Amino acid sequence: FFLKCAQPKRWKAYDGKITEMDTQYTLRARELFEIYRSISMNDIPKDERIDVLLTLRRTVKEHECKLTREIVELIDREVDLMSREVKECNLEGLRKRICTLFLQYIKTPKFNPEVARILKVPPDPLKLYKNVNFCHSCENYLPSTEFPVPANSRTIGRCRLCGKLDNEARRRETFLKYKLILENLRKSEADYQDNAKIVFLVQHQDLQYMIENIWGCQSALSAYGDLYDLVMVRWDKQHEWSPWNTILLTKDEADAHLRLCNLQEAYEPAFIHRIKHKHIRAKTYFAQIPAMASFLHRSDNQANAN
């Protein structure tokens, strides 16, 4: 512990040479280390022991507090007992007490600033209650500075490290391909000029669900799977686009599909049935969204009328 406090600062230069530098704090720690080692020695002459005690007395007298006053009082007691020729075996307990208190003095950052870098627990127990919070993710007690707290938050969440680990481990998803499909779809619907509304209510998250879970991320005709070459168009171009009136195709397939006049004659019944089944699944999903429910009911009423 003392060696860690007293060792100089070290860093490695670009040429591989190690540079060492002492600071006022490392010098202070080294001075205290030498004093502690001296007062811990046994079987030294009385004159040397008195010199060491007087050096310790001058060192701790630099700060006035209860701890230093107690150390000074014990030093004076030992010097007085030594002057009375008390046997060293009877002074053993007193000397251990002086070493213990001086060790406490050294571990106080106020008297030895370098020690603050090594101590893991704050010397003041009250700090544990004021500035320490519990992270429920890693189950560690950490300083409050380790917890990012948004302005609208009422509770302490995860610490910064847990948030960073979660961010690194989370699978990234790119929405660019879905945004491109949605942009192309909105442009094509605007070209119809028939006051289409549903396409502007659908977000790219909804489109992602449709493409991944209903259409399987591939063209309904050729099973082509590169989303950057796929587009969504109307299944029946006589009615506005909706999740239950759409088909996922490549660009060339979409152009050919929109030129068809009669879907029943162009496609086989099995293919039409498969597309209708996907439309039913889309209706089931979007029926849970209040903004889409009114359009869904209107579409059902129109289908019944037809």
Side-chain angles (χ1 to χ4, degrees), residues 2-10 22 26 30 114 117:
F2 285 135
L3 290 176
K4 284 184 179 180
C5 294
Q7 66 184 0
K9 307 294 183 182
R10 306 179 67 201
D22 277 315
T26 58
R30 196 173 304 156
E114 188 66 20
R117 183 175 55 87

Side-chain angles (χ1 to χ4, degrees), residues 52 111 180 209 243:
V52 171
F111 310 134
L180 290 176
Y209 176 85

Side-chain angles (χ1 to χ4, degrees), residues 161-175:
L161 179 59
C162 291
K164 181 181 178 182
L165 290 176
D166 178 72
N167 182 55
E168 292 176 351
R170 192 172 295 278
R171 183 171 62 92
R172 291 292 184 271
E173 296 182 356
T174 174
F175 295 107

Side-chain angles (χ1 to χ4, degrees), residues 120-122 126-149 156-165:
K120 295 182 179 180
V121 179
L126 294 178
K127 292 183 179 181
L128 292 174
Y129 300 98
K130 293 180 180 178
N131 300 319
V132 174
N133 294 308
F134 180 70
C135 176
H136 292 278
S137 182
C138 61
E139 298 184 349
N140 287 327
Y141 289 93
L142 300 170
S144 58
T145 54
E146 295 297 322
F147 293 86
V149 182
I156 298 296
R158 296 177 299 185
C159 64
R160 297 182 187 276
L161 179 59
C162 291
K164 181 181 178 182
L165 290 176

